[in-house]
Amino acid sequence: MVRTLGVAVVGFGWMGRVHTQAYARVPHHFPGLSLRSELVAVADEVPGRAEEAAAQYGFAAAHRDWREVAADPRVEAVSIAAPNFLHREIGLAMAEAGKHIWIEKPVGLTAEDARAVSDAVTKAGVQGTVGFNYRNAPAVAAARELIASGEIGTVTHVRIRLFSDYAAHPEGALTWRYERERGGSGVLGDLASHGVDLARFLLGEIEALTADTAIFLPRRARPTGATAGHTRATGGEPGPVENEDYVNCLLRFASGARGVLEACRVSVGEQNNYGFEVHGTKGAVLWDFRRMGELGVSRGTSYQDQPVSTVYVGPGDGEYAAFQPGSANSMGYDDLKVIEAHHFLRSIAENTPYGATLADAVHSAAALDAMSRSAERGTWVPLA
């Protein structure tokens, strides 16, 4: 029997749209799921944005204040796609109102914020899913299985990269993303949070780390009106960029493996260059998000001069079969969020966590806090 679940979306920038579209697509790709989402409410503080969303997507109600969503008894589950500095307040309020939450990373500005939301979800007995979408790529799931199977031997080291140019233009507006109080740790929360999640998803717990950070574009112009995404601003009053453009980090895993994690938001010439290379005593596995359905795999007994083969993922790898019938058919970013939406709704239907959880968000946030401390002190920082 299929049950209807009332859902709401708080924050209707690009990510709010992605969540909304994902809800609509879940029944197409996962028809066996016993829940169907109903778009009950949308909230966004920008004048007219919620009303536009309601008209386009069919939300029953549009609000400027997210608190009206928390008070709406028709809403059983909420997507939180608002700016980072609002995650804790909104997450706590929704959990305390008994609503399941699908919340974007990094779940606040600090590990304390993430832990508070996680504790509230546990106390309320609701489900919480977090937007670590890159782990949902079927190729990443295949890489994880290949590593666990021992086909590349014992993992020795990994390199994880997250390079983008979304903040590279010197006329990029000085929005909340660049303020410490509202944007937190800059590229650490934006991109390195995904890198930490991929590291843990593939190789297990991180034992200690040391990091270095930098701000390469120290001043930007303040926007003169409402902004969405990564808009430009000219003529506005200049102000300081307070959080990080760049981070590099050395990792020590509990397994004994070593790692390098590097992230940058001002990498000219790089558009979403995200990926990893995992090396073991017998082989390696490599992935590039921009070629999402491919894995580079080296395995065998040659060791020296051992070749790398390109493997196309297909049915049997992660949730690939829900989207395509045969190997090498392309998937895209939005498909990863459909998988995430399915995990969220399935968690609610079965009262069992699926996919990335608030506990994963806490681990990621703790690593980000440790990176900041390490960069300040110039030392290795252990992770409990």
Side-chain angles (χ1 to χ4, degrees), residues 159-160 162 192 195-196 199 247-251 259-263 371:
R159 183 167 74 96
I160 299 173
L162 298 110
V196 173
V247 61
N248 68 58
C249 185
L250 299 180
L251 307 171
V260 177
L261 191 161
E262 192 176 15
M371 289 179 198

Side-chain angles (χ1 to χ4, degrees), residues 12-227:
F12 211 79
W14 168 61
M15 189 54 67
R17 291 177 183 270
V18 173
H19 276 230
T20 302
Q21 291 161 182
Y23 283 126
R25 291 180 56 196
V26 166
H28 305 160
H29 297 281
F30 301 95
L33 186 65
S34 62
L35 281 181
R36 293 288 185 272
S37 57
E38 177 184 359
L39 300 179
V40 171
V42 57
D44 195 291
E45 65 177 10
V46 176
R49 188 180 285 174
E51 289 78 9
E52 177 188 343
Q56 182 176 359
Y57 292 100
F59 289 96
H63 306 291
R64 287 281 300 278
D65 190 340
W66 58 263
R67 293 170 184 81
E68 295 186 60
V69 172
D72 191 337
R74 299 172 300 168
V75 175
E76 300 173 78
V78 181
S79 280
I80 302 173
N84 298 351
F85 64 93
L86 295 172
H87 285 187
R88 176 173 179 158
E89 183 182 9
I90 298 174
L92 291 177
M94 296 303 173
E96 289 167 2
K99 304 182 191 305
H100 308 282
I101 63 172
W102 175 13
I103 185 168
E104 278 303 314
K105 51 82 226 121
V107 190
L109 305 181
T110 64
E112 181 184 353
D113 287 348
R115 194 170 291 110
V117 178
S118 179
D119 289 346
V121 164
T122 300
K123 182 178 179 180
V126 296
Q127 295 297 320
T129 295
V130 179
F132 290 126
N133 39 263
Y134 299 109
R135 64 156 63 189
N136 297 327
V140 175
R144 188 187 195 210
E145 290 189 8
L146 187 148
I147 293 165
S149 73
E151 286 195 60
I152 65 169
T154 300
V155 172
T156 53
H157 60 283
V158 60
R159 183 167 74 96
I160 299 173
R161 68 187 185 282
L162 298 110
F163 298 146
S164 186
D165 63 357
Y166 66 79
H169 202 291
E171 294 179 359
L174 187 67
T175 64
W176 61 267
R177 288 185 179 277
Y178 303 101
E179 299 174 2
R180 181 71 62 183
E181 186 176 345
R182 298 196 297 165
S185 55
V187 76
L188 278 70
D190 276 358
L191 294 180
S193 57
H194 283 297
V196 173
D197 185 66
L198 283 173
R200 293 183 60 250
F201 186 69
L202 293 169
L203 302 184
E205 298 304 328
I206 299 168
E207 194 171 72
L209 59 80
T210 185
D212 186 29
T213 62
I215 298 173
F216 295 131
L217 293 176
R219 295 185 71 79
R220 296 177 181 272
R222 300 184 188 280
T224 56
T227 61

Side-chain angles (χ1 to χ4, degrees), residues 285-307:
V285 57
L286 307 85
W287 180 69
D288 187 329
F289 167 67
R290 298 165 300 177
R291 306 182 71 163
M292 194 167 71
E294 301 179 17
L295 280 178
V297 180
S298 178
R299 52 190 165 191
T301 56
S302 299
Y303 299 98
Q304 187 177 2
D305 298 327
Q306 185 163 286

